[in-house]
Amino acid sequence: RCVLTDAAGNQLITDEVTIILPDPLVKITNTPENQHVVKNTVISFNVELDSTEGVTYQWQREKSPGRWFNVMNTGYNTDTVTMTASPYAPYPYRCEITDANGTKIYTGSYTVSFYEPPINPRIIKNPSDAYVYNYGVATFNVQAEGSSFVDDGSEDTGVTYQWWRKKTPTSSWVKCTTADATTATLAVKVYANMGDYQYMCEVKDGYGNTLKTKEVMHHIVTPVTIAAQPTAILENGTATFTFTATGDVKTYQWQCLKNGTWMNVSGSSYQGNTTATLTTAVKRSYRCKITDLAGTVTYTDEIAFPTK
């Protein structure tokens, strides 16, 4: 209806008129879906109709709630619009469809979300051989990075892991099945008669790229035992200290007692300071620090510089 108002404020109201719009001649049979894609990827939205006779298309973008603007992207006036998922990705898109009678219908609104290009998978740090005592636990760890996705399509930076093992030297690789076999760290209890095994981790990203770590082993370590404590022989003012240790020794390091503190010795004044035999003319008390392959430290008894 229309309301007419004169200069004096008097109003005249017309009768009500109902405008009946014709039903659209076409129906939308398939519409686009929201997209989650790599930043700067070329993407498309497509709409399908039950008939395209006399139909025109105009794709639009919503700059603010309820304010739709025509776009000029490739295919803006066709059933498929194409764009780069970058500058306007946060804005919804829709298609305005006009049939042969001029009736307009609209698709729903669809969005594009994007993320940075995927991280190329790489192994940052390979696992190392494990040295443990009998009935101890060998631990292997890998550090890796890459990109993958969770089931709902959102970004989840990471990789998956699968540890494998084989009995040396000729067995085939088989998957480890313990609870931690699909994590970055694998722990294996080892004992003397289990045999020798090699281990390897398969690292996979969400794009199907697969990397394998280097192959590593567990080693059972025999603890260090001091079979003979240090003795000293003095000759021409120079003392020679020696002792005997058994087991899987990794390193020797002689130390001297200085101002109540044990300090590692080195340099030309301490010949053999990283062996089982030390020769020196420096008059102090000494001991040797022995580290085995498992990292355990054992010390010899203290021995003084001999007086004669």
Side-chain angles (χ1 to χ4, degrees), residues 128-141:
S128 300
D129 283 8
Y131 295 85
V132 296
Y133 302 120
N134 195 24
Y135 294 103
V137 176
T139 301
F140 305 99
N141 176 262

Side-chain angles (χ1 to χ4, degrees), residues 141-288:
N141 176 262
V142 57
Q143 295 180 28
E145 68 176 6
S147 295
S148 60
F149 297 92
V150 293
D151 291 341
D152 63 4
S154 59
E155 184 181 10
D156 174 36
T157 299
V159 293
T160 60
Y161 306 90
Q162 177 60 62
W163 287 90
W164 297 71
R165 75 172 187 170
K166 73 173 180 177
K167 195 168 186 177
T168 60
T170 59
S171 298
S172 300
W173 288 100
V174 295
K175 284 185 179 180
C176 298
T177 57
T178 54
D180 58 358
T182 55
T183 70
T185 301
L186 178 71
V188 181
K189 188 171 183 177
V190 299
Y191 46 91
N193 60 350
M194 71 181 289
D196 294 329
Y197 280 88
Q198 288 180 297
Y199 300 86
M200 174 269 295
C201 188
E202 186 178 74
V203 180
K204 185 180 293 185
D205 71 4
Y207 299 88
N209 300 307
T210 301
L211 301 175
K212 294 180 180 180
T213 66
K214 73 174 187 179
E215 299 169 9
V216 291
M217 296 185 66
H218 69 257
H219 304 271
I220 296 178
V221 175
T222 301
V224 167
T225 300
I226 307 298
Q229 293 291 342
T231 59
I233 298 175
L234 182 64
E235 185 176 350
N236 298 325
T238 297
T240 299
F241 302 90
T242 188
F243 69 95
T244 302
T246 61
D248 291 325
V249 176
K250 183 178 181 180
T251 60
Y252 298 98
Q253 177 59 63
W254 284 91
Q255 299 178 324
C256 72
L257 187 62
K258 184 176 181 180
N259 299 325
T261 301
W262 287 102
M263 303 177 62
N264 292 344
V265 299
S266 62
S268 58
S269 297
Y270 303 96
Q271 299 296 317
N273 61 293
T274 57
T275 71
T277 300
L278 173 70
T279 301
T280 181
V282 181
K283 296 179 180 180
R284 292 195 175 98
S285 291
Y286 294 88
R287 72 178 185 183
C288 191

Side-chain angles (χ1 to χ4, degrees), residues 60-69 92 94 106 109:
Q60 299 177 329
R61 177 167 58 88
E62 187 180 33
K63 289 185 177 180
S64 60
R67 298 181 63 210
W68 290 91
F69 294 83
R94 73 177 184 184
Y106 297 88
S109 59

Side-chain angles (χ1 to χ4, degrees), residues 83-104:
M83 70 200 76
T84 300
S86 173
Y88 307 116
Y91 301 106
Y93 284 78
R94 73 177 184 184
C95 188
E96 178 186 78
I97 301 157
T98 306
D99 66 18
N101 287 339
T103 303
K104 297 182 184 298

